[in-house]
Amino acid sequence: MSAQWKDCCSGISQRWICVIMTFFSLFCAYTIRVCLSITITEMVMPNNETSDFIDDTCPSELKEVPTGKLNSTTEPSIGYDGTLYEWSEYTQGVILSSFYWGYVITHIPGGMIAEKFGGKYTLGFGILWNGIFTILTPIGVQYGGATALIVLRVMVGLAQGAAYPVLSVMLSQWVPIEERSKAGSLVYAGAPLGTVFATSTAGLILRYSGSGWPAVFYFLGGLSLLWFALWMIFCYNDPHDHPFISETEFKFLHEQLSQHKHKKPPRVPWRHVLGSMPVWALVAAMVGHGWGFHTMISDLPKYMGSVLKFSIENNGYLSSLPYLCMWLGSIVTSWIADWLIANDHMSTTNVRKLGNSIASVGPALFIIGASYAGCDRVLVVLMIALGMTTMGAALPSMKVNGLDLSPNYAGSLMALTNGIGALTGIATPYIVGVLTPNQTLSEWRLVFWIICAVFLATNLVFVIWADGEVQYWNDPDFLRKEKSDRRAKKAKEDVELLTVNAAK
């Protein structure tokens, strides 16, 4: 069978098949991660508390319609029995953050497992369970309410937690350095494009489906199951395991990757990793990016619906627009980054610093502009879209910086840095829920100022201490020599101790 596949597919670049399939893994993961952000606006009773703050709220986009003509653009979608849930802004914040409770737990174990045993099954079964728990969500909410929803979202988070570390492992096994910015940007573009697809599709389903909000979870969960089937057929841990990669491509990847990527490196040198300033600079960048991005994916639909008063259908479209712009920004900046590095116009270090600066300062300024645009819906959407466009520069900069620092330990490094960054996913929905109980413009302006401050502070750390070169502790020979020297030193100390005791 493998011979037939090799005859059929040896002319196809298998590393780009791997890149495309890992893109769709992140695409599926993010459709499920963010779909609740828009469906929750249709699961709960409308917030009418802003009636006492009329000067600080926007008029509704909807026109009055005759009695009996209401549909899902004027009233919330319903589930099995028509129940609308009376969940406070605080409770909704807890629900939206619960995904990240599980998500941060499996980061480091997932990365270490992928480094030791490969990424195929670690990523594959993670996305499989991701889909299964999502399909179970409607029935869980029907019988268990907010508690069941929180538990299921924690389980989804546990299933997704290994995704980013495993993606780093797969990229380190399959992508040479001169293709890293383009390939990394394509893979990590699964996040904004998955968000685009989820928010726009959810808006359409909520508008037109007679099944209400449960249909969103069934559809998106089913996509993950379909991806799992294709992944298990076409993708493998590394070129050595691939049964139908061409000899030409295999030799090319072996030559390009063998210098810094080793088959069986020593255990993760955590002492060196945790003592590395470039690693902590990357952690800072991940925190800054995570704070802005997680606030947007968790709460932008609420801002569009509750503050700007867009209808559910327009909410879906307009909430997806910034992420489409982010993807376009990542494509442009990734090509520029690879061009700068390949032609020696800038060092890898400076390319990463420049990209992260664009991805931090740009969103910070545009988001503040949006907060002062008031109820000018066109200007607000434009400002947020421009901010997210510049945020796209994060994908070919800080998102691939872990691969620069240590190809051998890319999974563990991504697990550490992205895991800490993901803690912002727990904090931001809770903070937004606490700061915006009435969903007014002034409440949200404070949220946007916090995002701005975090972006600027974390980028400053990255610019000062980041590095784009392979670190000395990535070298297995260095680690083995260090271990040998420690043993020799200990043996010498033991001999000296025995000599002293014998002399006594």
Side-chain angles (χ1 to χ4, degrees), residues 103-112 160-162 164-165 411 414-415 418-419 422:
Y103 183 70
V104 298
I105 293 174
T106 49
H107 258 63
I108 290 180
M112 297 178 70
Q160 278 196 34
Y164 271 108
M414 176 62 86
N418 197 66

Side-chain angles (χ1 to χ4, degrees), residues 6 15 174 176 178 239-240 245-259:
K6 191 161 188 173
R15 68 182 182 277
W174 282 96
E178 65 266 22
H240 293 85
I245 187 174
S246 69
E247 290 295 328
T248 302
E249 185 175 21
F250 177 83
K251 290 178 180 178
F252 170 74
L253 291 175
H254 179 73
E255 291 171 358
Q256 293 293 315
L257 298 173
S258 59
Q259 181 179 0

Side-chain angles (χ1 to χ4, degrees), residues 19-20 43 46 69 106 131 168 176 181 225 274 297 302 320 331 340 365 371 381 422 442 447 449 502:
V19 166
I20 291 169
M43 295 167 69
K69 298 290 186 180
T106 49
S168 289
S181 294
L225 304 188
L274 296 177
I297 65 173
K302 290 176 66 178
S320 68
I331 294 298
L340 290 171
L365 298 180
S371 73
V381 172
S442 58
V447 171
W449 269 110

Side-chain angles (χ1 to χ4, degrees), residues 140-217:
V141 175
Q142 181 187 11
Y143 291 105
T147 301
L149 180 55
I150 289 170
V151 171
L152 283 164
R153 293 299 289 179
V154 170
M155 299 304 292
V156 170
L158 287 168
Q160 278 196 34
Y164 271 108
V166 175
L167 292 178
S168 289
V169 172
M170 296 296 288
L171 288 174
S172 70
Q173 295 282 5
W174 282 96
V175 180
I177 188 169
E178 65 266 22
E179 297 175 355
R180 191 167 291 164
S181 294
K182 289 193 292 289
S185 291
L186 176 57
V187 170
Y188 296 128
L193 289 184
T195 305
V196 168
F197 184 80
T199 51
S200 57
T201 302
L204 289 173
I205 292 174
L206 293 169
R207 171 65 177 85
Y208 294 107
S209 173
S211 301
W213 59 263
V216 175
F217 294 96

Side-chain angles (χ1 to χ4, degrees), residues 14 96 219 265 383 389 464 467-468:
Q14 296 305 314
L96 291 173
F219 175 69
M383 287 288 187
T389 302
I464 294 174
D467 198 350

